[in-house]
Amino acid sequence: MSDIKTVWQTQTTEETDMISLAEIRSRATRLKNWVLWRNLALYVYSIANIAVTAWLISTGQHKAYMRYEAPGLLLVAAHLFVIWQLWWRTSLRALPGDLMGRAALDYLRHQLERQRDALSSAWLWYIAPFMPGLIWEVWMRANLHPADIPPGYDHALVLYLVMAALFFWTSVGLAFSWAAARLDVRLEQLNTLKAE
Amino acid sequence: MGTVPQDELYMRATAEFGPALARLARAYEADASQRLDLLQDIHFALWRSFSSFAGQCSLRTWVYRVAHNVGISRRRKRSDLINLEELAEMSAEDSPEETVHASRALSRLQDLIRRLRPPDDQVMLLYLEDTDAASIGDITGLSARAVATRIHRIKQLLSLHFRQGESP
């Protein structure tokens, strides 16, 4: 006689039951390297932005069309702030050590809350830091009126810059808000489960 | 805790629960390479977790918590999973499988688990591993009443799908 629990517990599995410690350690090294390369890519991206801005300021390039110094420095500061925020938010050290050993509902709640908080405050740490520099830059460009650009074309160019910036940053903000709202629904479902 | 106790705990855990972890991976992943990947993820998470294990709960509870949390991380973005009640309604017309045909019964059982959303899939897996209701509560975070309700539904679902068969 066989019941379904016996069928389940006596099934044969082709996978090895134990993975060697050498394999585990090599996986730990791979994870460490992946985190290192991911962070490095973020730093390279931001450093490239900073370098271009520094070059524009130091050489006076495009000075005829844009006075880049002050807004450029603000954008550099924004990049540095976002680098620090990304490092702090994605750091493995930010996770509690015993997280994986928590009960499943608590684990899931922690993960969802962490993501929800990062997303719902993204306007503050990912969008707002770029705004002063960006607005200043666009405002300066709008008031520059270069002599070699026809006024009609110049207005259209400024309008395009403003619309493109508005569209891009509003889309980013809305995408973050939508994702945070979805996570709120999941958290509400978890609360219902916990209250059962 | 140094690296030696971490390694020792891992060796102990896998010696004792390795087969159960392999069964969990088989339940969640039909594809062989995905299954092996999940199993490796579980073992890796388990080894890492032992650096912060200080006897907060039994070794068995810890191992299952870690394994199920890795499983949740993989499955939580899937939107096609359903709960026990919905599964029972959907499968009401299926004819029961004789448990004596172990491979067919096992295949249907794995299919049922793969369609369930957390924490129903976890309760089903733990029930099949003969884990008592209190431990299921400790592992999943569900209340005793919620666990009891789910076990009742699981028994009903299993009786719909499986008929205990006599060995030939």
Side-chain angles (χ1 to χ4, degrees), chain A residues 4 20 43 48 56 59 80 103-104 117 122 129 133 136 138 156 160 167 173 176-177 181 196:
Chain A
I4 194 65
S20 73
Y43 298 150
L56 285 170
T59 61
L80 290 171
D117 293 346
W136 195 346
V138 171
Y160 169 77
F167 176 76
F176 282 143
S177 303
E196 267 183 40

Side-chain angles (χ1 to χ4, degrees), chain A residues 40-99:
Chain A
L40 201 66
L42 286 171
Y43 298 150
V44 165
Y45 166 76
S46 291
I47 287 166
N49 273 286
I50 292 166
V52 168
T53 308
W55 177 74
L56 285 170
I57 292 169
S58 63
T59 61
Q61 293 288 325
H62 306 296
K63 212 166 186 175
Y65 300 99
M66 284 189 180
R67 292 192 185 95
Y68 231 121
E69 290 87 347
L73 285 173
L74 278 178
L75 287 174
V76 168
H79 274 294
L80 290 171
F81 178 77
V82 170
I83 289 175
W84 171 69
Q85 280 288 311
L86 284 171
W87 172 82
W88 180 68
R89 286 168 190 278
T90 57
S91 169
L92 288 177
R93 280 172 288 180
L95 292 171
D98 68 339
L99 183 65

Side-chain angles (χ1 to χ4, degrees), chain A residues 28-41:
Chain A
T29 310
R30 283 203 301 273
L31 177 73
K32 219 174 183 176
N33 289 339
W34 182 83
V35 172
L36 198 76
W37 280 106
R38 183 201 59 191
N39 288 345
L40 201 66

Side-chain angles (χ1 to χ4, degrees), chain A:
Chain A
M1 176 107 66
S2 59
D3 68 1
I4 194 65
K5 278 189 182 177
T6 311
V7 169
W8 177 258
Q9 288 169 23
T10 55
Q11 66 178 286
T12 49
T13 52
E14 76 271 23
E15 294 87 7
T16 50
D17 295 334
M18 193 188 291
I19 291 169
S20 73
L21 280 169
E23 170 62 21
I24 294 277
R25 287 189 200 290
S26 116
R27 214 174 162 91
T29 310
R30 283 203 301 273
L31 177 73
K32 219 174 183 176
N33 289 339
W34 182 83
V35 172
L36 198 76
W37 280 106
R38 183 201 59 191
N39 288 345
L40 201 66
L42 286 171
Y43 298 150
V44 165
Y45 166 76
S46 291
I47 287 166
N49 273 286
I50 292 166
V52 168
T53 308
W55 177 74
L56 285 170
I57 292 169
S58 63
T59 61
Q61 293 288 325
H62 306 296
K63 212 166 186 175
Y65 300 99
M66 284 189 180
R67 292 192 185 95
Y68 231 121
E69 290 87 347
L73 285 173
L74 278 178
L75 287 174
V76 168
H79 274 294
L80 290 171
F81 178 77
V82 170
I83 289 175
W84 171 69
Q85 280 288 311
L86 284 171
W87 172 82
W88 180 68
R89 286 168 190 278
T90 57
S91 169
L92 288 177
R93 280 172 288 180
L95 292 171
D98 68 339
L99 183 65
M100 285 308 282
R102 290 189 190 176
L105 287 182
D106 295 334
Y107 168 80
L108 196 50
R109 177 196 298 276
H110 182 277
Q111 295 289 73
L112 294 178
E113 280 176 348
R114 193 165 178 262
Q115 284 178 22
R116 192 266 321 266
D117 293 346
L119 287 168
S120 58
S121 63
W123 66 270
L124 196 65
W125 64 269
Y126 190 77
I127 298 176
F130 291 103
M131 288 303 118
L134 197 69
I135 291 168
W136 195 346
E137 199 178 294
V138 171
W139 181 80
M140 286 177 77
R141 177 62 189 83
N143 289 289
L144 202 59
H145 310 303
D148 56 339
I149 297 180
Y153 181 72
D154 186 46
H155 287 144
L157 194 65
V158 170
L159 187 68
Y160 169 77
L161 275 175
V162 171
M163 295 303 285
L166 267 178
F167 176 76
F168 175 76
W169 289 108
T170 308
S171 303
V172 171
L174 285 176
F176 282 143
S177 303
W178 178 76
R182 281 192 56 156
L183 290 173
D184 266 333
V185 172
R186 297 284 312 279
L187 279 162
E188 198 48 52
Q189 289 169 344
L190 277 187
N191 288 341
T192 311
L193 270 177
K194 191 85 181 164
E196 267 183 40

Side-chain angles (χ1 to χ4, degrees), chain B residues 83-151:
Chain B
N83 65 26
L84 277 164
E85 273 174 319
E86 291 164 332
L87 187 58
E89 279 169 24
M90 279 176 64
S91 50
E93 289 177 13
D94 288 352
S95 57
E97 191 73 66
E98 298 277 357
T99 52
V100 73
H101 303 302
S103 64
R104 287 209 313 245
L106 195 58
S107 166
R108 188 188 280 202
L109 188 55
Q110 285 165 340
D111 181 54
L112 289 176
I113 296 166
R114 281 178 202 135
R115 288 155 77 182
L116 280 173
R117 74 161 71 113
D120 290 357
D121 55 347
Q122 300 174 326
V123 178
M124 169 92 102
L125 278 166
L126 292 164
Y127 169 77
L128 290 169
E129 292 292 342
D130 249 343
T131 311
D132 62 82
S135 300
I136 293 177
D138 277 345
I139 294 161
T140 58
L142 289 168
S143 68
R145 203 175 73 171
V147 171
T149 308
R150 278 173 175 75
I151 288 178

